[in-house]
Amino acid sequence: MRPRRGAEFLPQPVHTGALVHQQGRRIRRAGHVDQNCRNSLSAFLHTRNTTRTFRPRLGISMGDPAGIGPEIVVKALLEPHLHDQCIPLVVADPAVMRRAAADIVKSDIAIREIGKAAEAEGKPDVIDVLPLEKPVGAFELGKVDARCGEAAFQSVKTLIDLAMAKELDGTVTAPLNKEAMNLAGHHY
């Protein structure tokens, strides 16, 4: 079995104990992670953040602006416990996120535009948004639109660029519309 992508920097756990059950292709074992793995993971987390409460900075794409992506992102970020676990940052058109929050979700959560990923604070009453270079403009909800496909593509591309530059610890992609992305000229 190949390790998952991005896992090569993490120590591989060595489990002790009896076989419990099989889930898909993974075999889970009861028992404890050995001391070497525990020490390696502790050293890894220490190099990433010297405080004991490490919260990874996660970049979230807005998905297709005409679809359910922005709504799902807003609803997820309204969960206060999420902000205890990570520092979320949404790469999106701020106007799209404001529309999703106010008109669709009916929330008064603040949408704060930031200039770079490091400015994201991860506060539960604010959604930090890194704006796209080009706003989406006017579009109709629920209709396939090339401009929405381009915005969704640029959102994901920006996330990947930030992750490759090590400005993000991980990425999350909201639902995309492949037809809209194809209309925008991005054939997967």
Side-chain angles (χ1 to χ4, degrees):
M1 185 168 101
R2 292 178 18 202
R4 63 185 173 89
R5 289 186 189 148
E8 58 273 0
F9 59 85
L10 286 174
Q12 297 301 315
V14 178
H15 295 279
T16 58
L19 180 65
V20 175
H21 69 279
Q22 184 172 351
Q23 176 183 345
R25 293 176 64 195
R26 288 187 176 179
I27 297 175
R28 296 182 175 249
R29 295 185 180 271
H32 302 284
V33 177
D34 76 353
Q35 188 62 37
N36 290 335
C37 180
R38 194 176 302 118
N39 291 340
S40 298
L41 185 57
S42 174
F44 167 74
L45 291 176
H46 182 71
T47 61
R48 302 291 287 173
N49 188 335
T50 56
T51 65
R52 293 184 72 160
T53 56
F54 172 68
R55 292 189 310 157
R57 187 176 311 277
L58 298 181
I60 305 167
S61 76
M62 72 174 161
D64 187 309
I68 62 170
E71 175 185 355
I72 290 173
V73 171
V74 170
K75 285 183 177 180
L77 296 177
L78 286 173
E79 295 293 327
H81 70 275
L82 177 87
H83 301 275
D84 296 335
Q85 305 297 318
C86 68
I87 300 171
L89 155 72
V90 182
V91 177
D93 181 341
V96 170
M97 297 309 294
R98 284 188 187 98
R99 178 180 179 182
D103 298 343
I104 300 170
V105 180
K106 308 289 187 213
S107 170
D108 60 351
I109 191 164
I111 306 294
R112 183 175 78 105
E113 293 183 42
I114 58 175
K116 56 186 176 180
E119 294 175 8
E121 297 174 349
K123 294 181 179 178
D125 56 342
V126 175
I127 297 177
D128 292 319
V129 175
L130 184 64
L132 296 173
E133 290 182 17
K134 183 179 176 188
V136 179
F139 62 91
E140 189 176 341
L141 286 176
K143 300 288 182 182
V144 177
D145 189 325
R147 291 171 298 173
C148 292
E150 179 65 26
F153 176 82
Q154 291 303 323
S155 179
V156 173
K157 183 180 181 306
T158 301
L159 277 180
I160 300 305
D161 291 344
L162 290 170
M164 296 299 288
K166 305 220 184 287
E167 293 182 43
L168 296 175
D169 296 304
T171 63
V172 179
T173 305
L176 302 169
N177 185 317
K178 293 176 186 173
E179 183 181 355
M181 290 174 61
N182 282 325
L183 286 174
H186 302 288
H187 306 286
Y188 48 92

